[in-house]
Amino acid sequence: MTAGDEEVWVDAAAGPLVRPYTVTAGRTRPAVRLDLLSLVVATGRRPREMAPEHAEALACCRAPTSVAEVAAHLRLPVTITKVLLADLLECRAMTTGARRTAADPTDRALLEKLLDGLQRA
């Protein structure tokens, strides 16, 4: 199967036949610290050269999106997704913000209610 001038390797059942580490040129550690709940959003800036995975990540981050959601959308391991997102953060095509939580995770009363609810279940 071809797409324009480039050959695309796809198996209907398995998906793309490219190892994830080839997407990041063998890099396994992002240059920026990100966790699963970190929110990233595209800035509107586009790098001169980018891999299709970078473009797809930018497309799915028009609104603040968690790293976990981006990984699921790209169908790539989280580690690989973090490397791709770090690339985009480095060239300022994306920005990151603090994750938002509905409640204070250190609130003792809330934690006790949670524990009580879990023990009843």
Side-chain angles (χ1 to χ4, degrees):
M1 179 185 303
T2 59
D5 293 346
E6 295 182 29
E7 189 172 347
V8 179
W9 291 62
V10 177
D11 179 284
L17 299 175
V18 176
R19 299 272 185 222
Y21 61 83
T22 60
V23 172
T24 61
R27 295 174 294 140
T28 59
R29 296 185 193 266
V32 177
R33 184 182 164 130
L34 297 166
D35 63 31
L36 288 174
L37 299 179
S38 296
L39 297 176
V40 291
V41 64
T43 62
R45 222 179 219 178
R46 297 191 54 88
R48 293 177 194 225
E49 295 181 25
M50 66 178 152
E53 293 81 9
H54 287 106
E56 196 172 346
L58 281 174
C60 75
C61 293
R62 290 187 182 109
T65 308
S66 72
V67 170
E69 289 177 89
V70 177
H73 178 78
L74 298 178
R75 299 178 68 190
L76 288 172
V78 173
T79 304
I80 300 301
T81 302
K82 287 180 181 181
V83 172
L84 293 172
L85 294 174
D87 292 345
L88 293 168
L89 288 164
E90 191 174 302
C91 70
R92 294 190 171 102
M94 274 193 178
T95 188
T96 185
R99 59 183 168 177
R100 297 180 202 152
T101 57
D104 178 10
T106 61
D107 181 2
R108 184 175 177 90
L110 175 66
L111 293 173
E112 287 175 359
K113 288 178 185 178
L114 177 62
L115 179 61
D116 184 49
L118 289 171
Q119 289 173 340
R120 288 183 187 181

